[in-house]
Each structure stands twice: as C-alpha cells, then as structure tokens.
Amino acid sequence: MKRAQKILLVGGVALIVAVNAFVLAGVAWNRSGEPGSALTLTQRELSLPYAFGLDGERGGIDVALLWRAPMRDDNADAAYDMHYGRGPDWLDADKLRELGFDLKEERDAYRQKREVFVVLELAGADWQAALAQAQRRLDRALARGDAEKQDVDAQKSAQEALKYEQQKASRLFAVDAGLDAAALRQRYPDTHRHLIVVATVTPSVMVIDKKTTFSGHIGELAVARISVPHTLRGAMDGIDRSALDSGRATFEMDVAWGRRFEPWVTAVRPQRAARVE
C-alpha cells in the first residue's frame, strides 16, 4: 500500500473514531443528572412502525411521538385534531411577537420559521376539553334524531369519534411555547406531566374584510422519533400491529428527556389482554 493511501486510511479511521466519541459524549452529557422530563406514555402517544411485529424484525425500533394542538370551537365537528391543522388559540400575534417574530411585513410573515421551546402536557385540561367536545358532538347528533340517513351517519361518526378520543387518541397537547426553557419549567414544574421539547413555529396570515389576523403553526419536533434499544426490544415480543389496533395488547414506555432535550426509553411494559376461552 502506498504511503499516501496509508495516510488516508489512518486519517479516515481516526475521523470515524473522533465522530463516534463526540456523539457518545453528547449522549452521555444529555443523560447526565436528573432528567428534565420523565413521562410514562402509551401506544396513544407513541406510534410503532406500521409493520411492527409482522416483518420478523427483532432489532431496535423507533417510535414516533404523537401530540396534538387544542381544537378550536369552529372545529367542533371534527373527529380529532392532530398537530397538522391550524395552530392553537394561544399561539396568536402577541405570542408570536414574544417568540421573536417580526409581523410588520404582513405578507412575508409566513416565510419566517424559528425553533422554540414548546410545552406538551399529558392528560391535562386540554385533553379533558377534547373528551367533552367529542361528547357534545354526539349529544348534538342524537338530539337531531335519525329521520334521515345523514342523521344516522352523523350519529355513527360521532360515536366512533368519542370512542376514539376515549381509547386511542393522544393525550399529549401543546399548551405553551417560549424562548427560555428554564422560565417555562418554572411555569410548568411537573416533570412527569409537562414535557419541554424543541419544535419549529411558523406564522400564518389571514386577511378577511381587510382585517389581518396572525396565528402560529407548530411544526415537527427537533427529535420526533425515539429509539427503543435492543435490550428493551425483547419486552415487545409477541405483540404486533394487529393486536395493538384491536386493543388485544397495549404498552407503556417510560421516556426521559435530558439536558439537550433529547429523549431515551428507560423501561417498556407491554400488556396483553387475557384470552377468553
């Protein structure tokens, strides 16, 4: 082997070692000390890969964090509102300015995007409000009666929406945002209910009758997927996607977030429904 090739090979190996050491040091620092947040989540808030348990894979897996924005009153007839729709009421013009957005150039405001800290609340007031809203939707459908086919369809849809909200929909809601994580933690001190993450926020502009209204949209989290290590993966053996979807199996995962607001799984507890003979 020529000298130049040897130098390149040694340099390449050294670079790989250095990068791996840097990554491992970052992971270690993130997980040092007490976690910034530590939540127990279920299949409602953690989505497994679509083919989980059906493709024979027995290695590590990633789960996607599912969260929501509170539904608006004008969205009351929607089955459920994930975070892809309009932003929450609290993310208004004043909050956008607080987050550092310049709204003077109205037409170009939507071009801005910033990373901020977002507070996600587990099974709090917004989830209770979503349950109540689904119940009101069913009550309205039942009050209209079932004289027409569309009324029957509306009742069925409302019943399914309520059941989904009660049993399957994520209970994790975006409730606040800010530029100072420490200040948000003081405002939301329960580390087992309030999770602080990094996410992008983008303004949106609506002009109706020459009146301009600003609102904000919360985009993807900086870390939206969480790796389940191989050492804990074995706990999920025997559970597949069909069992989870049918309710024959459920699971809990303890997830911690560290100094860099990056998550890791600390425990996995699957539950299988008892067979009826």
Side-chain angles (χ1 to χ4, degrees):
M1 183 180 294
K2 294 181 180 181
R3 179 178 176 82
Q5 291 177 321
K6 289 182 179 180
I7 293 175
L8 289 175
L9 178 60
V10 172
V13 172
L15 178 61
I16 293 173
V17 171
V19 170
N20 286 338
F22 179 79
V23 171
L24 291 174
V27 170
W29 187 79
N30 178 63
R31 300 184 183 186
S32 62
E34 288 294 321
S37 305
L39 278 66
T40 297
L41 305 174
T42 72
Q43 69 283 347
R44 299 173 67 141
E45 293 81 37
L46 298 171
S47 176
L48 288 161
Y50 181 76
F52 174 76
L54 302 177
D55 57 2
E57 175 61 38
R58 288 295 180 267
I61 56 174
D62 288 345
V63 291
L65 188 67
L66 301 178
W67 57 276
R68 307 163 64 183
M71 286 192 293
R72 296 166 178 260
D73 290 340
D74 60 2
N75 219 11
D77 284 332
Y80 61 97
D81 183 20
M82 296 302 287
H83 64 276
Y84 299 106
R86 295 167 57 185
D89 285 338
W90 57 262
L91 193 50
D92 56 11
D94 290 339
K95 174 60 78 170
L96 288 170
R97 293 188 182 96
E98 180 185 316
L99 295 176
F101 289 99
D102 182 1
L103 304 182
K104 294 178 182 178
E105 297 296 331
E106 298 177 356
R107 290 176 298 178
D108 294 328
Y110 72 93
R111 298 180 186 274
Q112 304 178 61
K113 181 184 290 188
R114 295 177 65 95
E115 274 198 343
V116 302
F117 296 106
V118 174
V119 179
L120 303 180
E121 182 180 55
L122 178 64
D126 284 324
W127 180 56
Q128 294 296 331
L131 287 168
Q133 192 164 315
Q135 182 64 60
R136 288 196 300 272
R137 180 190 177 201
L138 176 57
D139 293 341
R140 288 196 301 271
L142 293 174
R144 288 194 293 266
D146 56 2
E148 304 290 340
K149 181 180 184 302
Q150 63 185 20
D151 296 327
V152 175
D153 292 341
Q155 290 179 15
K156 181 179 179 181
S157 177
Q159 289 169 343
E160 291 175 348
L162 177 59
K163 183 178 179 180
Y164 184 88
E165 191 66 67
Q166 292 171 332
Q167 300 180 5
K168 292 187 176 183
S170 174
R171 302 163 298 163
L172 202 56
F173 281 79
V175 297
D176 204 350
L179 299 177
D180 188 335
L184 287 172
R185 179 52 74 196
Q186 287 185 344
R187 200 179 309 163
Y188 302 94
D190 190 344
T191 59
H192 298 288
R193 173 164 298 210
H194 295 114
L195 164 64
I196 298 177
V197 296
V198 177
T200 58
V201 169
T202 306
S204 62
V205 185
M206 183 178 297
V207 181
I208 301 178
D209 295 331
K210 298 182 179 181
K211 181 181 179 181
T212 302
T213 302
F214 294 98
S215 61
H217 170 75
I218 305 173
E220 290 294 328
L221 307 187
V223 182
R225 304 190 70 84
I226 307 168
S227 177
V228 181
H230 180 73
T231 54
L232 297 177
R233 168 64 175 82
M236 300 293 286
D237 286 351
I239 292 180
D240 59 25
R241 169 62 63 183
S242 62
L244 291 170
D245 291 344
S246 66
R248 291 183 288 108
T250 60
F251 67 83
E252 290 182 343
M253 289 189 186
D254 293 339
V255 185
W257 278 260
R259 294 175 180 266
R260 300 199 306 185
F261 304 95
E262 296 174 357
W264 72 97
V265 177
T266 61
V268 177
R269 291 182 297 276
Q271 296 178 345
R272 301 166 182 80
R275 293 184 177 181
V276 179
E277 300 296 340

